[in-house]
Amino acid sequence: LSGVPVEVGSSGVEFSMSFLVLNTNQPLLILGLDQMRKYKALVDLDKQQLTFGGHGGISVPFLPPPTQVRQPDLPREMLGLAPGECV
């Protein structure tokens, strides 16, 4: 999807972004470094927020962690497990 208007939080500030749609039921947003640079995004892990527009910009909270994370079904050999060994 190209040129999708995205409102940052409830600020009324909109950006035009491009997206790839993933087949998942999890609420998530993955921003690449190119997008983060373009919108001068700052990641604040202490405050659990992302600020667009640099210092003094518009801050939005991170999405809450999912209540239950489903681990992908990976082949045993990718996990380095021996036959009969549990995860």
Side-chain angles (χ1 to χ4, degrees):
L1 302 173
S2 226
V4 177
V6 177
E7 183 177 346
V8 179
S10 58
S11 65
V13 176
E14 281 191 1
F15 294 104
S16 176
M17 297 181 130
S18 296
F19 291 91
L20 293 174
V21 178
L22 303 175
N23 185 16
T24 180
N25 292 328
Q26 297 292 326
L28 62 91
L29 173 65
I30 300 172
L31 294 176
L33 286 176
D34 57 335
Q35 295 268 340
M36 293 177 72
R37 284 186 184 110
K38 179 178 179 179
Y39 299 111
K40 299 180 183 175
L42 302 173
V43 178
D44 189 329
L45 297 175
D46 288 333
K47 293 182 181 176
Q48 296 288 296
Q49 66 185 20
L50 185 62
T51 301
F52 291 92
H55 295 287
I58 304 296
S59 296
V60 293
F62 291 166
L63 291 174
T67 54
Q68 184 178 22
V69 176
R70 184 186 171 284
Q71 296 298 320
D73 296 325
L74 297 175
R76 297 182 69 72
E77 58 271 8
M78 287 184 70
L79 296 172
L81 297 174
E85 188 177 359
C86 294
V87 178

